[in-house]
Amino acid sequence: LQRFNSPRVTQPAIFVTELALGYTLLDLGLAPAAMAGHSIGEFAAATLAGVFDETDALELIATRAKLSAEAPEGKMLAVNADEAKAQAAADAEKGKVWMAVRNAAGRQVIAGEVAAVDRAATALAAAGVKCRPLPVNRAYHTPLMAEAEAALAIKLQSMTLQPPSVPLCCNGSGGWMDDATATDPIYWAAHVASCVRWSENMAALASKAPATVVEVGSGSSLAP
């Protein structure tokens, strides 16, 4: 189990599971009106939408996983509070803790240096806010992943990126991904160190109503 929790294993496993399930739905004739992916899932969605060549995507995720394993140790904390409270907790440890994921109303993730996140957790608990550490030992989607970002930027320079074939949500902006962003290596490199604006992605998908939202992955943690 400890070996499976290594980024070298979990990130490729998440990616190939989501990609395989996505291909299965396409083969069954389910045509998506739009797609969104949460963190690593954005790479799977982008591959299904034709942004990445499949071989390039697999190589990129393997590289991202290796670089993640080499990144400084960190911690991620799920916070059951609104964005303002979670942001305030991060700001109290400025330069050591950051907002990492805006999941939904009342569900945020902050991340950063281990001791600083622990102090933030203590302060939140004292204020009556429920929080729990995530089962990772890296501070994904924070500046602590800067070295991985720089190396990924170099890796991406050799890859050809295409505009998405269907509307694709953007974790970075929270809105729809334009062609310039989809084909920008800098965006995809920075993804590992940037906040995931998932709540805004869900709002964008909701604008496609009455379409049905289908979660494609190894669980159902993002489903309402």
Side-chain angles (χ1 to χ4, degrees):
L1 181 61
Q2 185 176 2
R3 182 182 176 187
F4 187 80
N5 284 336
S6 166
R8 294 175 185 266
V9 177
T10 56
Q11 292 190 25
I14 290 169
F15 177 77
V16 298
T17 299
E18 293 175 342
L19 195 64
L21 290 173
Y23 281 139
T24 299
L25 292 179
L26 292 174
D27 288 344
L28 290 172
L30 186 66
M35 287 191 286
H38 188 283
S39 190
I40 285 284
E42 181 155 287
F43 291 83
T47 303
L48 292 168
V51 174
F52 291 102
D53 170 80
E54 184 183 294
T55 300
D56 284 347
L58 288 166
E59 185 176 348
L60 181 62
I61 294 301
T63 301
R64 189 182 189 272
K66 175 179 179 294
L67 293 168
S68 295
E70 296 168 352
E73 187 178 0
K75 194 166 188 175
M76 303 187 78
L77 186 75
V79 180
N80 289 1
D82 59 28
E83 289 187 25
K85 286 183 180 178
Q87 185 67 63
D91 290 345
E93 296 288 342
K94 194 171 181 63
K96 297 181 179 181
V97 177
W98 298 266
M99 284 288 293
V101 187
R102 292 176 164 90
N103 267 329
R107 293 188 179 184
Q108 322 301 328
V109 177
I110 61 175
E113 297 176 11
V114 175
V117 171
D118 285 343
R119 288 193 297 269
T122 299
L124 285 164
V129 176
K130 292 183 179 179
C131 49
R132 62 178 175 83
L134 299 184
V136 298
N137 58 5
R138 297 293 184 271
Y140 297 108
H141 303 294
T142 76
L144 291 186
M145 304 301 294
E147 290 187 12
E149 175 184 349
L152 287 169
I154 296 171
K155 182 74 175 177
L156 278 150
Q157 291 298 329
S158 63
M159 297 182 178
T160 300
L161 307 178
Q162 303 290 342
S165 59
V166 298
L168 183 65
C169 287
C170 177
N171 285 174
S173 69
W176 296 106
M177 186 176 293
D178 57 32
D179 290 354
T181 300
T183 56
D184 182 7
I186 299 302
Y187 169 74
W188 294 105
H191 191 279
V192 72
S194 303
C195 182
V196 174
R197 300 178 181 276
W198 186 247
S199 59
E200 294 170 60
N201 285 170
M202 290 294 92
L205 286 182
S207 71
K208 294 289 184 180
T212 299
V213 178
V214 179
E215 181 172 359
V216 179
S218 56
S220 58
S221 60
L222 302 179

